[in-house]
Amino acid sequence: MQTFDFDLFVIGGGSGGVRAARMAAQRGARVALAEAGAMGGTCVNVGCIPKKLYSYAAHYAESFEESHGFGWVGTAPQLDWELLKANRAREISRLNGVYLQLLDSAGVQTLRGWATLLDAHAIDVAGQRYTAQNILIATGGAPTIPDVPGRELVVTSDDMFDLNPFPKRLLVVGGGYIACEFASIFNGLGAQVTQVHRRDKLLTGFDDDVRRFLASEMSKTGVKLQLGAEVAAITQTAEGLRVDLKDGSQGPFVVDTVLYATGRRPNTRGLGLEDAGVAVNAHGAIEVNERYQSSVASLYALGDVTARLQLTPVALGEAMVVVDQLFGPAAGKAPRSMSYDFIPTAVFTHPNIGTVGYSEAEAREKFASISVYRSDFKALRHTLSNSTERTLMKLLVDDASDRVVGLHMVGPDAGEIVQGFAVAMKAGATKAVFDSTIGIHPTAAEEFVTMREPVKSPT
Ligand code: FAD
């Protein structure tokens, strides 16, 4: 029988890779993990965590302003960008250490360096050859910049956390969640932000009401939205970066920084996939079956490199499934499976979006008849804050089963609120259950259990 150095070799120390390596080692497997960059991957270093920290920082601006209505007087403090960056860097490096420690204490051998597949059971890391019975590819993804004249002058989301100096004038290109979040965050931190998107609405794939409502709320906060517009070229001038749009009647803009947040690609280049015979799709993502097994039986892949739902909790969930399949479930537990239905998600724009289930357009396609409940209101806090911010809440109900199949919110703490409702929806909660639930008063969230009348003519 062939012997291998390891039972499992994980390539990539991000959300999915670290979780899989740790859990497999805890089941008694001999595990190695190779990471070429900082431990923790995208989420920890240039994604969810630093972004949320900056989003918190940005929210202070509106809090200072709103505090006047509540009797607080005096001038607002100023942002010290260098201090924010330093504090973020310190916290991220603490997390890098925590990840390493978790792997060490689980007994995972960590290898630093770029890993390349040599064949179905062999990997090279920094000139050293290792063998493993199973290999898990969890190499994530990276931002892409389209072929626009001046592309060498622009930055991606990876660069936004350490910009030097702070961009007083920022142009964000893109309309997905990453573009919207950075537009909101830098607007809150004090930049003049213009966001250019080639479609007529932000956030393709989200509920249309949410898309419209968010655009209106973001505009109120000061983000200048240019929808239906495309960048023609970026040029360096003495005053800054000049951005010309294809439609010459809009722009040009002169800004300090241009962020392109128009797409990401799976990290499959230079991985040796061809040598190992692993099939990728037209977008370069590794194709896997429902067991996360690639076209080569000993090679598994999960997370962003498979380019499905690109979220940290999804990569974590997939990792648990792979480990259960390869090494058995935890003692006394059934093997996990991964369901992609009713995955809640948040967008940390200002205000936040929280959403779970179908959009109205999707629900209309999927179900014969649906009822739509919608509420758009001014939160209690804003009766004194002077802010014109409004909150949107929306429920979609399948008439045949009375099940709530879509729940959407745009408003403060939407992510925090929607997480709890996602449990109810996963459990199949009906509108009758929502109606019989007593609200928590006074909160914004109670609106979700007090919407009695469906909208007459759905929008
Ligand atoms: P990653 O976390 O990307 O890890 C892959 C790792 O593999 C990297 O560390 C990389 O260095 C390493 N690697 C690649 N190739 C090799 C190689 N050949 N050898 C060795 N190492 C290699 N998700 C959320 O759920 N919520 C959010 O709020 C959120 N915000 C985000 C904000 C931004 C700006 C971005 C970019 C992403 C955000 N995401 C968010 C998505 C989330 O970060 C990803 O879905 C998640 O990190 C994917 O995990 P992964 O394990 O697939 O890959």
Side-chain angles (χ1 to χ4, degrees), residues 12 14 16 35-36 41-42 51 114-115 140 177 264 271 304 310-313:
E35 170 55 60
T42 303
K51 170 201 80 186
W114 186 260
Y177 85 93
R264 295 177 63 79
L271 201 53
D304 286 8
Q310 300 186 24
L311 293 169
T312 282

Side-chain angles (χ1 to χ4, degrees), residues 10-18 34-49 51-52 111 113-116 138-141 143 157-158 161 177-178 181-182 264 267-271 302-306 309-316 345-346 348:
V10 179
I11 306 181
S15 308
V18 169
E35 170 55 60
M39 204 52 91
T42 303
C43 181
V44 168
N45 294 288
V46 286
C48 335
I49 301 298
K51 170 201 80 186
K52 190 77 190 283
L111 304 164
W114 186 260
T116 317
T139 50
S157 62
D158 286 358
F161 302 103
Y177 85 93
I178 293 176
E181 288 181 335
F182 278 108
R264 295 177 63 79
N267 272 335
T268 48
R269 288 184 204 152
L271 201 53
L302 55 74
D304 286 8
V305 75
T306 60
L309 261 183
Q310 300 186 24
L311 293 169
T312 282
V314 171
L316 299 178
T345 181
F348 297 102

Side-chain angles (χ1 to χ4, degrees), residues 225-280:
L225 289 177
Q226 295 273 338
L227 299 176
E230 267 187 87
V231 173
I234 303 130
T235 36
Q236 182 75 64
T237 70
E239 290 75 39
L241 297 172
R242 180 189 152 120
V243 183
D244 285 283
L245 299 184
K246 286 194 178 156
D247 174 356
S249 67
Q250 302 172 313
F253 307 101
V254 179
V255 294
D256 304 305
T257 301
V258 177
L259 163 66
Y260 257 81
T262 49
R264 295 177 63 79
R265 66 166 169 77
N267 272 335
T268 48
R269 288 184 204 152
L271 201 53
L273 292 180
E274 317 73 33
D275 297 333
V278 177
V280 294

Side-chain angles (χ1 to χ4, degrees), residues 25-160:
Q26 283 171 2
R27 303 270 204 286
R30 296 169 306 140
V31 185
L33 178 146
E35 170 55 60
M39 204 52 91
T42 303
C43 181
V44 168
N45 294 288
V46 286
C48 335
I49 301 298
K51 170 201 80 186
K52 190 77 190 283
L53 292 175
Y54 281 14
S55 172
Y56 284 128
H59 273 297
Y60 280 99
E62 68 202 27
S63 299
F64 292 138
E65 210 163 305
E66 292 173 7
S67 70
H68 300 316
F70 292 90
W72 293 93
V73 291
T75 48
Q78 297 299 302
L79 175 74
D80 182 338
W81 173 236
E82 295 307 317
L83 182 60
L84 173 61
K85 284 196 294 185
N87 287 349
R88 180 219 85 235
R90 196 188 56 236
E91 172 56 12
I92 300 306
S93 100
R94 188 188 70 82
L95 289 174
N96 297 147
V98 168
Y99 271 71
L100 203 53
Q101 174 63 36
L102 285 171
L103 290 168
D104 277 354
S105 52
V108 176
Q109 182 171 341
T110 46
L111 304 164
R112 308 315 294 261
W114 186 260
T116 317
L117 290 168
L118 300 174
D119 62 41
H121 292 283
I123 313 100
D124 171 280
V125 184
Q128 178 81 35
R129 185 174 191 273
Y130 301 90
T131 59
Q133 179 151 25
N134 296 291
I135 298 171
L136 175 63
I137 305 169
T139 50
T144 53
I145 305 172
D147 215 0
V148 60
R151 73 192 291 277
E152 67 285 355
L153 300 169
V154 314
V155 299
T156 69
S157 62
D158 286 358
D159 308 304
M160 291 303 284

Side-chain angles (χ1 to χ4, degrees), residues 129-446:
R129 185 174 191 273
Y130 301 90
T131 59
Q133 179 151 25
N134 296 291
I135 298 171
L136 175 63
I137 305 169
T139 50
T144 53
I145 305 172
D147 215 0
V148 60
R151 73 192 291 277
E152 67 285 355
L153 300 169
V154 314
V155 299
T156 69
S157 62
D158 286 358
D159 308 304
M160 291 303 284
F161 302 103
D162 265 318
L163 288 176
N164 185 23
F166 181 81
K168 293 205 176 92
R169 302 161 299 175
L170 172 68
L171 184 92
V172 177
V173 185
Y177 85 93
I178 293 176
C180 293
E181 288 181 335
F182 278 108
S184 272
I185 290 168
F186 277 81
N187 175 60
L189 293 177
Q192 271 174 34
V193 179
T194 305
Q195 185 176 357
V196 170
H197 181 42
R198 63 193 165 90
R199 294 178 194 257
D200 63 347
K201 280 198 221 78
L202 301 171
L203 293 173
T204 303
F206 282 70
D207 184 271
D208 278 346
D209 264 336
V210 168
R211 300 170 74 190
R212 269 193 294 269
F213 197 85
L214 180 79
S216 143
E217 289 301 315
M218 279 180 68
S219 302
K220 279 199 240 165
T221 65
V223 174
K224 197 170 156 215
L225 289 177
Q226 295 273 338
L227 299 176
E230 267 187 87
V231 173
I234 303 130
T235 36
Q236 182 75 64
T237 70
E239 290 75 39
L241 297 172
R242 180 189 152 120
V243 183
D244 285 283
L245 299 184
K246 286 194 178 156
D247 174 356
S249 67
Q250 302 172 313
F253 307 101
V254 179
V255 294
D256 304 305
T257 301
V258 177
L259 163 66
Y260 257 81
T262 49
R264 295 177 63 79
R265 66 166 169 77
N267 272 335
T268 48
R269 288 184 204 152
L271 201 53
L273 292 180
E274 317 73 33
D275 297 333
V278 177
V280 294
N281 69 18
H283 306 289
I286 298 179
E287 286 182 348
V288 289
N289 61 20
E290 66 294 344
R291 292 163 46 84
Y292 305 101
Q293 199 170 30
S294 73
S295 55
V296 177
S298 59
L299 289 174
Y300 291 75
L302 55 74
D304 286 8
V305 75
T306 60
R308 295 195 290 189
L309 261 183
Q310 300 186 24
L311 293 169
T312 282
V314 171
L316 299 178
E318 293 174 347
M320 301 302 296
V321 174
V322 169
V323 170
D324 281 5
Q325 278 168 8
L326 289 176
F327 306 108
K333 303 262 186 202
R336 293 199 188 215
S337 60
M338 180 76 194
S339 156
Y340 293 87
D341 289 338
F342 295 103
I343 291 180
T345 181
V347 180
F348 297 102
T349 39
H350 297 203
N352 290 182
I353 296 175
T355 174
V356 52
Y358 299 100
S359 67
E360 185 176 334
E362 286 167 345
R364 287 196 183 287
E365 259 190 27
K366 173 128 186 114
F367 303 98
S369 162
I370 62 162
S371 295
V372 178
Y373 296 79
R374 187 183 189 286
S375 177
D376 161 354
F377 58 95
K378 181 170 174 167
L380 175 64
R381 191 171 93 203
H382 296 318
T383 55
L384 293 193
S385 73
N386 254 335
S387 164
T388 58
E389 180 183 82
R390 295 189 69 79
T391 294
L392 172 75
M393 289 186 182
K394 188 168 174 183
L395 288 180
L396 305 168
V397 178
D398 166 32
D399 290 333
S401 63
D402 195 41
R403 187 173 177 186
V404 179
V405 293
L407 183 146
H408 308 276
M409 172 173 175
V410 183
D413 298 321
E416 304 289 345
I417 291 170
V418 167
Q419 178 71 80
F421 282 104
V423 177
M425 288 174 61
K426 220 34 207 166
T430 58
K431 182 65 168 65
V433 170
F434 272 61
D435 290 345
S436 68
T437 302
I438 303 294
I440 301 175
H441 186 71
T443 61
E446 69 180 315

